[in-house]
Amino acid sequence: MILVVIALLPDRFTRGEGKTATAVSSGAAQALPAALPGLSPFTPAKPLQFSGRVTQVASIGNDVGWGQVHVWIDNGTGALQEISVAPQSYLNQIGCPSFDGARISGIGFLFDAGRPNAELYAKSVLVGGRTCKLRDDEGLALWMTVQ
């Protein structure tokens, strides 16, 4: 989107403190600054393992159109751990077994480590002897690409 906007602007584009980005001129693309104001570098989340017995299953967000199954597991630490799984429709589509009372294990991402009791976002989960793949290596939802 930014490239489209820059391509529509005149040959030179000046912003705020006199920093200049040069758009396409004479048919050759020219480099833009490596760091753009207001953007933060992306630091990938490290995958974390989880396992335990499911004590609760809930679908969160159905009322706003993006329903997600969340499970809470007892992992033996005395505190329940919340796992964001996927929409029920996707779980049905890939044949993922029920989570009710099951012993599960898997790999997930903690995207908000600064928040106490932040949920893990499951990359994959083993339930009932079946591995359900839910997110890619960067944590992006696989159900967004399934046709």
Side-chain angles (χ1 to χ4, degrees), residues 9 13-14 17 23 30 40-41 60 63 66 76 86 108 111 114 129 141:
L9 295 174
F13 170 78
T14 305
E17 301 102 20
Q30 298 186 13
S40 300
I60 298 175
D63 55 337
W66 54 262
F111 292 121

Side-chain angles (χ1 to χ4, degrees), residues 5-84:
V5 171
I6 292 173
L8 296 174
L9 295 174
D11 284 354
R12 297 186 67 76
F13 170 78
T14 305
R15 179 177 169 153
E17 301 102 20
K19 295 179 182 173
T20 303
T22 303
V24 177
S25 62
S26 305
Q30 298 186 13
L32 294 174
L36 296 174
L39 297 180
S40 300
F42 174 72
T43 304
K46 290 181 5 181
L48 302 170
Q49 293 186 339
F50 62 87
S51 68
R53 179 154 316 275
V54 175
T55 62
Q56 181 181 351
V57 178
S59 188
I60 298 175
N62 289 332
D63 55 337
V64 291
W66 54 262
Q68 293 267 337
V69 172
H70 283 232
V71 298
W72 284 260
I73 61 172
D74 179 353
N75 58 13
T77 64
L80 297 180
Q81 182 175 24
E82 182 179 358
I83 313 289
S84 176

Side-chain angles (χ1 to χ4, degrees), residues 3 8 29 43 46 62 84 88 91 95 100 103 106 121-122 129-130:
L3 293 177
L8 296 174
T43 304
K46 290 181 5 181
N62 289 332
S84 176
Q88 186 62 54
L91 296 172
D100 290 317
R103 180 161 258 316
Y121 289 82
R130 179 172 171 87

Side-chain angles (χ1 to χ4, degrees), residues 112-132:
D112 194 1
R115 193 181 78 196
N117 301 321
E119 67 269 44
L120 279 177
Y121 289 82
K123 175 184 178 187
S124 63
V125 61
L126 176 64
V127 57
R130 179 172 171 87
T131 299
C132 306

